[in-house]
Amino acid sequence: MSIVLQPLKCLACGAPLKSKERDLMLICEHCGSLSLFADGKTSPVEFAIVKPTVEEKDPLWYVPFWVVNADVIVHREKISGGGISRAVTGQKQMRGTRDFYICAADAVPEEYARVWNMELTINQPEFTTIPEFKNGSRMVMTMEKDTAGNNAEFIFLRYEAEIPGTLQELDYDFIVKSAKVLYLPAYKKPTSYMLGVLNGK
Ligand SMILES: [Zn+2]
């Protein structure tokens, strides 16, 4: 058995790319472009860097998220017990075309990632972006795009399951349309992480 190791090249300028620390986002040391590493090769990826709106003294990290844009179509939903609909309780519906935020760095403990994913997905924030990783470091991205798509669907199901009463039946379609990478600023506190954006402003 033999394998051919193709040298990885920057899609923007052609310079050789070095992979380190299993980061799925490869930065070109020559021109600074970022490429996605998947299936043994590099491919173009849409990405943006979000400007911090909160200032802290702790180290600033830019945490990669997959922003999965998906169509959520619920054909039928049957709830027994509580049965109070979201329209009555004022809770937001997770329906239609929307973005799902999936933290893509396993350096962030699950307990924080899970809360951020749900809050960002419910609030659908709008961010101000900046051209570079200012005053902070880029965190290694460890999650592949397909995994992010599956996790997005899981967020939807978890949200549906939180409706008061017992969810007996859910007939739905979850169609992933696109996915891009968003680096969100976060401060690493001695024992926790804190997002560097409040309410998306
Ligand atoms: Zn380059």
Side-chain angles (χ1 to χ4, degrees), residues 10-15 17 28-33:
C10 171
L11 296 166
C13 77
L17 290 176
C28 174
E29 287 174 7
H30 183 67
C31 75
S33 297

Side-chain angles (χ1 to χ4, degrees), residues 8-9 22 35 42 56 73 83 91 106 133 140 153-154 169 178 187 194:
L8 298 172
K9 281 186 178 164
R22 72 209 165 87
S35 306
T42 48
E56 298 281 323
I73 304 149
Q91 244 184 305
D106 65 7
F133 299 98
V140 167
E153 185 168 347
F154 185 67
E169 199 183 317
S178 64
Y187 294 98
M194 177 197 153

Side-chain angles (χ1 to χ4, degrees), residues 79-125:
I79 298 155
S80 70
I84 305 158
S85 74
R86 289 210 161 93
V88 175
T89 58
Q91 244 184 305
K92 288 171 189 163
Q93 296 264 351
M94 207 173 272
R95 299 278 196 280
T97 305
R98 56 186 298 124
D99 289 334
F100 288 81
Y101 288 79
I102 311 294
C103 182
D106 65 7
V108 174
E110 174 73 20
E111 61 198 284
Y112 298 101
R114 203 186 315 133
V115 172
W116 292 348
N117 291 349
M118 186 61 87
E119 284 183 355
L120 291 164
T121 299
I122 290 172
N123 293 329
Q124 298 285 290

Side-chain angles (χ1 to χ4, degrees), residues 10 48 53 69 81 83 86 89-90 121 124 126-127 133 136-137 142-143 150 164 166-167 171 174 178 182 195-196:
C10 171
T53 56
N69 188 260
R86 289 210 161 93
T89 58
T121 299
Q124 298 285 290
E126 283 186 25
F127 296 114
F133 299 98
S137 316
T142 52
M143 185 185 289
N150 293 339
T166 307
L167 183 61
D171 177 13
F174 191 95
S178 64
L182 198 62
L195 272 187

